[in-house]
Amino acid sequence: MTVHPLPTADPAAQGVDASGVHAFLDALEADPDIEPHSLMILRHGHLVTAGWWAPYTARRPHLLYSLSKSFTATAAALAEAEGLLDFDAPVLSYFPEFEADITDPRSRAMLVRHVASMASGHEDETVDEAYGTDPAEPVRGFLLQPPQRDPGTVFAYNQPCTYTLGAIVQRVTGQTLTDYLRPRLFDPLGIGETLWQRDRTGREIGFSGLHAATDAVARLGQLYLDDGVWRGERLLPRGWAARASHPHIPTAGTTLVGDRQDSIRGYGYQFWVSRHGFRGDGAYGQFCLVLPEHDAVVAVTTATERTQEYLDLVWRHLLPAFRPAPLTGRRAADTALRERLERLALPPADGGPAVPERAGDWS
């Protein structure tokens, strides 16, 4: 694989005001509950901001948590385009060996598009029940959990939904998600090393577990921003990005979501609808923010439980920085921003020398 660097530009040349990026960095670093690890901003297809807080580096793979789900959905879209998967087919049709075991009518009525949109009919998370019921085959364990509602009528953020979607892709392709995506997505996008966690079945789990660099997140976001076209080559089916980012099921008022303003606008196919654009979203602040109205992508890795507050800072500081036209006379500001990004570092951890009488324990 030949990795081509993302095209770069000064922020001002792409209509990005460096002062807004400075304000965003100031806000992140002033919040004791947010530990930023990386930030990449693309505008009009150009990388205008990139920084990593040492000891994190550009090439270091990062656990993406549930941002992995957006890659799983992308694999499902590719399998659909190849005629291997049907979003309107019953989930059970891909696992005929469970036919006699799965008797609940709602489980039998569950379609691929229902698990793709977290609308299986369950009212809550079932991951413990699925793995507890059948550790050797979590799909069977999931389908043995009777949904409380008809599939397609209620949202619940439910890991076995994505696990099952990924399991279908791996079954119909005969490959792991990584092996299937490598020639179709990862290599064409220039995504380097990745690693995806597997369970005891040998499957990559789909709902989490993908380790990849921030650059991979940025490239996926740009691909979705451009409706699946990368450097003139169509990688994803036409219109898939719109399907994936369309709210297929309402999320407001559900248990997980509460009143978080960027989670009450509906859920697509493994993407959340945000106040601005849509996003892939992983625990502790792993974000792929796709902002069509600004022709921008923001890719970040973080360690924080205050994920809504993080998004609030993006909207407060970065959105006003996206201007409608190139900015002039900003060379000094762009240079100052670049120099700041080059010296980003997390503060040293608190601690002290070993207690003298126990120093030998570490020697």
Side-chain angles (χ1 to χ4, degrees):
M1 179 189 68
T2 301
V3 177
H4 297 284
L6 291 167
T8 60
D10 290 336
Q14 302 302 322
V16 178
D17 188 341
S19 67
V21 182
H22 275 297
F24 179 62
L25 296 175
D26 290 342
L28 290 182
E29 295 181 337
D31 192 323
D33 295 321
I34 295 177
E35 180 183 287
H37 294 171
S38 66
L39 169 67
M40 296 179 71
I41 301 173
L42 289 86
R43 185 90 196 281
H44 305 321
H46 291 76
L47 180 63
V48 296
T49 295
W52 286 260
W53 280 260
Y56 293 92
T57 61
R59 297 185 62 183
R60 178 174 175 170
H62 205 96
L63 174 57
L64 301 183
Y65 294 96
S66 284
L67 180 48
S68 309
K69 292 178 169 71
S70 299
F71 288 86
T72 299
T74 304
L78 292 167
E80 179 190 43
E82 294 177 2
L84 302 174
L85 181 154
D86 182 355
F87 273 71
D88 289 320
V91 168
L92 191 56
S93 68
Y94 293 95
F95 302 94
E97 68 272 28
F98 305 153
E99 179 73 31
D101 299 333
I102 310 305
T103 59
D104 182 84
R106 287 172 171 160
S107 290
R108 296 180 67 87
M110 196 184 303
L111 306 180
V112 174
R113 60 181 166 85
H114 295 144
V115 295
S117 57
M118 297 289 185
S120 63
H122 297 95
E123 294 180 337
D124 210 341
E125 173 70 77
T126 65
V127 66
D128 290 340
E129 291 82 357
Y131 274 94
T133 298
D134 193 341
E137 181 42 272
V139 172
R140 179 178 175 275
F142 170 55
L143 293 174
L144 284 171
Q145 310 307 313
Q148 294 83 8
R149 306 268 290 276
D150 290 340
T153 64
V154 63
F155 171 84
Y157 198 71
N158 194 2
Q159 310 302 338
C161 284
T162 316
Y163 180 89
T164 298
L165 181 65
I168 292 171
V169 172
Q170 290 172 89
R171 173 161 285 203
V172 300
T173 65
Q175 296 178 283
T176 65
L177 294 170
T178 297
D179 288 344
Y180 182 65
L181 287 173
R182 177 54 63 189
R184 295 166 176 82
L185 184 77
F186 293 160
D187 283 352
L189 287 182
I191 291 175
E193 178 186 9
T194 62
L195 177 68
W196 212 320
Q197 180 184 342
R198 302 187 186 199
D199 65 8
R200 66 176 64 185
T201 71
R203 293 190 190 112
E204 292 174 344
I205 62 175
F207 60 83
S208 185
L210 178 61
H211 294 71
T214 313
D215 177 83
V217 177
R219 289 171 188 256
L220 183 75
Q222 187 65 46
L223 180 67
Y224 271 78
L225 182 64
D226 291 337
D227 187 33
V229 175
W230 181 261
R231 297 187 176 180
E233 179 185 359
R234 176 160 293 285
L235 301 183
L236 302 181
R238 186 183 305 276
W240 166 254
R243 285 175 62 198
S245 59
H246 175 78
H248 293 282
I249 190 77
T251 55
T254 54
T255 303
L256 173 82
V257 169
D259 61 354
R260 291 186 292 176
Q261 291 301 302
D262 283 291
S263 299
I264 62 174
R265 286 164 166 78
Y267 195 76
Y269 288 150
Q270 308 296 297
F271 284 91
W272 290 89
V273 181
S274 304
R275 278 178 287 178
H276 305 277
F278 60 96
R279 71 186 188 279
D281 184 322
Y284 308 114
Q286 326 315 313
F287 291 126
C288 177
L289 308 179
V290 183
L291 307 172
E293 66 269 35
H294 297 286
D295 195 25
V297 172
V298 180
V300 306
T301 57
T302 320
T304 184
E305 294 183 347
R306 298 179 57 189
T307 54
Q308 180 59 64
E309 288 85 348
Y310 189 104
L311 292 172
D312 292 342
L313 295 178
V314 173
W315 310 146
R316 185 177 307 140
H317 298 294
L318 289 186
L319 289 193
F322 296 139
R323 303 296 180 82
L327 306 174
T328 58
R330 304 298 180 95
R331 184 178 300 275
D334 286 349
T335 298
L337 177 59
R338 182 174 63 253
E339 292 174 350
R340 179 178 183 177
L341 292 167
E342 289 172 351
R343 60 176 186 268
L344 292 174
L346 295 175
D350 294 334
V355 179
E357 59 268 25
R358 295 189 60 201
D361 294 347
W362 289 276
S363 62

